[in-house]
């Protein structure tokens, strides 16, 4: 492990490096004109997809690295505020919502935003366990309105709870949640960063590696049901998912490089604790019975690759 850590591709100090400090977190960004001399691939210059907003992407993601600090729940809210709801109940709720998202064919961004809204709500108001499912479907309703082209109707969310809650109850909870959020739903989630980081990782391949994309998304989604992962920033989880996916697929080269370090703003040693925690999820060390994500990805074409990745260890554990 120490041998691997000492051989990281760490970028040398550069006078063109820009450093800022936000809420005690130090961040540094390399100016674009320094990229070529440092062996960093430019992932925006050849983009043909207008949705990539390639002209503005560097500034957008730098802004997101700052704003993600403002839109996350405290890592200990379950212990300090909730007495009737437990971390296990939260996991069961999200595991069920993953199945709901699959049933209604919701985009991944909706699921990530739903979990973000649930955690931020639970960190601000006390919820009785009888109303936890109500909070969950309401947060998914809000996220659907924000992310989906055609969002499911309120009545459909009542139906999936076996009509445990009435339309009026869902709408009342909706008003309460958006008020708590101050109507700020533009939240950078793990999925937001994962798109960018996978794009940076793909520069290592001659042709796009679909296995990398599927595996990184699979690993990132495994964290949704785990309360312990709230302590990690979304960008950190996304970077760690890419690191672990690259190592799982190819152990002949180190999974981190100057391009990934530049675009994620993380050096390999900074990923260590998150990668190891993510590896435990990959191996299912705790034998977690919540399997909605695993079942979801068993339907994918990369099922064989996912199932046969469990015997591989990260460079941190070798």
């Amino acid at each position: 492990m120490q041998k691997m850590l000492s051989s990281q591709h760490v970028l040398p100090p550069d006078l063109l490096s820009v450093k800022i400090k936000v809420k005690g977190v130090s961040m540094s960004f390399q100016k674009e004109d320094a990229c070529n001399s440092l062996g960093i691939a430019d992932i925006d210059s050849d983009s043909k997809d207008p949705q990539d907003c390639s002209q503005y992407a560097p500034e957008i993601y730098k802004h997101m690295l700052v704003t993600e600090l403002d839109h996350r729940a405290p890592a200990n809210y379950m212990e300090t505020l909730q007495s009737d709801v437990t971390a296990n109940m939260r996991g069961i709720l999200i595991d069920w919502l993953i199945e709901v998202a699959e049933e209604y064919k919701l985009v991944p961004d909706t699921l990530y935003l739903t979990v973000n809204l649930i955690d931020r709500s639970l960190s601000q108001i006390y919820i009785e366990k009888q109303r936890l499912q109500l909070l969950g479907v309401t947060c998914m309703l809000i996220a659907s309105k924000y992310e989906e082209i055609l969002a499911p109707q309120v009545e459909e969310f009542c139906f999936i709870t076996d009509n445990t809650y009435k339309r009026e109850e869902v709408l009342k909870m909706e008003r309460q949640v958006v008020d708590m959020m101050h109507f700020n739903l533009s939240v950078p989630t793990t999925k937001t960063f994962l798109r960018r980081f996978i794009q940076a990782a793909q520069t290592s391949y001659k042709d796009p590696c679909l296995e990398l994309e599927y595996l990184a998304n699979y690993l990132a989604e495994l964290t949704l049901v785990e309360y312990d992962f709230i302590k990690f920033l979304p960008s950190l989880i996304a970077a760690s998912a890419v690191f672990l996916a690259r190592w799982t697929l190819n152990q002949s080269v180190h999974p981190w490089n100057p391009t990934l370090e530049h675009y994620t703003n993380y050096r390999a040693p900074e990923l260590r604790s998150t990668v190891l925690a993510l590896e435990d999820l990959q191996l299912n060390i705790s034998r977690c019975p919540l399997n909605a994500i695993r079942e979801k990805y068993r339907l994918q074409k990369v099922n064989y690759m996912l199932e046969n990745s469990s015997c591989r260890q990260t460079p941190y554990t070798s």
Side-chain angles (χ1 to χ4, degrees):
M1 177 180 68
Q2 293 299 327
K3 181 180 179 181
M4 292 300 299
L5 291 178
S6 63
S7 62
Q8 306 302 320
H9 298 280
V10 179
L11 295 180
D14 194 280
L15 294 177
L16 294 177
S17 176
V18 178
K19 292 187 177 181
I20 62 175
K21 196 169 185 179
V22 182
K23 295 188 176 180
V25 178
S26 179
M27 298 181 179
S28 65
F29 304 109
Q30 298 288 336
K31 289 187 177 180
E32 297 304 319
D33 54 2
C35 290
N36 291 338
S37 63
L38 296 174
I40 299 170
D42 185 352
I43 67 175
D44 297 308
S45 59
D46 297 328
S47 177
K48 302 296 190 297
D49 188 348
Q51 293 187 355
D52 288 342
C53 302
S54 57
Q55 184 177 357
Y56 308 103
E59 288 73 22
I60 290 172
Y61 279 91
K62 287 174 186 178
H63 176 70
M64 287 181 178
L65 285 169
V66 175
T67 57
E68 70 172 334
L69 300 169
D70 298 321
H71 304 297
R72 56 196 298 251
N76 63 341
Y77 75 77
M78 199 68 74
E79 295 79 12
T80 58
L81 180 59
Q82 302 300 330
S83 58
D84 203 28
V85 172
T86 65
N88 186 54
M89 292 178 187
R90 171 195 176 275
I92 293 172
L93 171 68
I94 294 173
D95 194 66
W96 174 71
L97 287 173
I98 291 167
E99 296 178 349
V100 173
E102 284 297 289
E103 177 70 22
Y104 287 112
K105 295 179 171 56
L106 304 181
V107 298
D109 300 81
T110 299
L111 181 60
Y112 278 96
L113 181 56
T114 297
V115 176
N116 176 276
L117 294 175
I118 289 172
D119 287 325
R120 288 163 67 194
S121 298
L122 288 175
S123 69
Q124 296 184 50
I125 59 171
Y126 172 80
I127 291 287
E128 297 177 342
K129 60 184 177 183
Q130 292 85 355
R131 292 172 58 81
L132 181 61
Q133 189 181 31
L134 172 61
L135 175 65
V137 295
T138 302
C139 288
M140 181 161 277
L141 170 65
I142 297 170
S144 298
K145 289 181 177 180
Y146 186 81
E147 297 287 359
E148 300 292 332
I149 296 176
L150 184 62
Q153 299 298 306
V154 178
E155 290 76 12
E156 293 180 86
F157 284 107
C158 294
F159 174 76
I160 60 176
T161 67
D162 199 22
N163 292 311
T164 302
Y165 308 105
K166 298 180 180 178
R167 184 175 189 274
E168 293 73 21
E169 291 180 281
V170 175
L171 294 177
K172 182 179 179 181
M173 180 64 78
E174 180 184 27
R175 289 191 294 270
Q176 188 175 2
V177 171
V178 294
D179 282 343
M180 282 190 295
M181 304 300 117
H182 303 291
F183 288 81
N184 190 349
L185 304 179
S186 298
V187 178
T189 65
T190 298
K191 182 63 177 179
T192 308
F193 293 106
L194 197 56
R195 286 193 182 92
R196 180 73 166 173
F197 299 168
I198 289 175
Q199 187 182 4
Q202 294 286 17
T203 61
S204 301
Y205 303 92
K206 182 178 180 180
D207 298 309
C209 180
L210 294 180
E211 289 84 358
L212 170 67
E213 182 175 351
Y214 274 105
L215 184 53
N217 276 286
Y218 167 71
L219 294 171
E221 288 186 33
L222 285 177
T223 68
L224 290 174
V225 299
E226 297 292 332
Y227 172 73
D228 289 341
F229 272 81
I230 296 177
K231 64 187 176 186
F232 299 120
L233 286 169
S235 61
L236 182 58
I237 294 175
S240 300
V242 171
F243 182 105
L244 185 55
R246 282 171 59 86
W247 177 253
T248 299
L249 294 172
N250 184 6
Q251 299 179 37
S252 64
V253 296
H254 197 279
W256 219 235
N257 57 42
T259 297
L260 282 165
E261 182 171 320
H262 172 76
Y263 287 103
T264 65
N265 201 47
Y266 290 109
R267 295 183 299 110
E270 296 174 306
L271 303 177
R272 173 176 172 150
S273 60
T274 316
V275 169
L276 292 177
L278 194 55
E279 184 189 27
D280 284 348
L281 290 186
Q282 182 187 29
L283 303 177
N284 200 13
I285 297 297
S286 62
R287 300 301 172 195
C288 177
L290 305 177
N291 288 317
I293 291 297
R294 300 180 193 276
E295 290 295 329
K296 169 184 174 180
Y297 277 84
R298 279 198 181 96
L299 301 177
Q300 305 293 340
K301 293 180 180 179
V302 290
N303 174 41
Y304 176 81
M305 181 269 296
L306 293 176
E307 289 184 344
N308 287 275
S309 66
S310 60
C311 60
R312 308 180 181 185
Q313 294 182 318
T314 69
Y316 298 118
T317 54
S318 59

